[in-house]
Amino acid sequence: MKAIIACGAAALLAACASYDGRGLEPGKSVARDVETLMGPPAEKLALAGGESVWFYPRNPFGRHTFAVRLAPDGTVRAVEQRLSEEYIATLIPGVSTVKTVRELLGPPWKVRRFEHQERDSWEWYVR
């Protein structure tokens, strides 16, 4: 009986929220539609030119992070899965900044502080 209730609850939750933003239409959907469909984002970043990006880490250990890019007027420009080889390949060791990495990949799954080195380590799980 508990398994049936758990399956029913999972089905209801799936019906209320979109895992990957399916249903959002670039150029038509707006910020309100994003939150209605995907829920509140884990992080919102303001970008140059008035654009913004909202991050939705998904899956255990954050193996997927969907980024919803919004125009200055709040219209959806794109929904992208950022933890992929395509995006990671754009990072350049020694050149890419902390800001660039964060804007590209979104919030890390895990942050560790190394006090003696005065450094942080950010971790994302990528397939």
Side-chain angles (χ1 to χ4, degrees):
M1 184 65 174
K2 287 182 183 179
I4 293 171
I5 292 171
C7 288
L12 285 173
L13 286 173
C16 294
S18 173
Y19 179 85
D20 61 1
R22 191 169 301 143
L24 295 173
E25 295 182 55
K28 289 187 177 181
S29 299
V30 295
R32 180 182 62 251
D33 301 327
V34 175
E35 287 202 83
T36 299
L37 190 65
M38 298 182 76
E43 183 171 80
K44 294 180 180 181
L45 292 180
L47 304 177
E51 290 188 359
S52 62
V53 62
W54 294 5
F55 289 102
Y56 291 88
R58 304 292 202 213
N59 239 0
F61 308 112
R63 287 197 169 106
H64 298 127
T65 293
F66 292 94
V68 179
R69 288 190 302 118
L70 299 163
D73 68 357
T75 304
V76 173
R77 287 217 167 141
V79 180
E80 305 152 333
Q81 203 302 82
R82 293 285 181 91
L83 298 185
S84 68
E85 289 182 27
E86 172 189 357
Y87 287 99
I88 293 168
T90 66
L91 298 173
I92 303 166
V95 175
S96 296
T97 65
V98 168
K99 183 178 184 279
T100 303
V101 172
R102 196 59 181 259
E103 288 176 355
L104 187 70
L105 301 180
W109 176 75
K110 188 180 220 179
V111 177
R112 288 194 244 187
R113 179 75 181 158
F114 296 97
E115 289 298 333
H116 290 93
Q117 297 175 348
E118 297 180 4
R119 293 182 182 228
D120 292 326
S121 168
W122 293 352
E123 294 180 22
W124 290 266
Y125 282 92
V126 180
R127 295 193 200 216

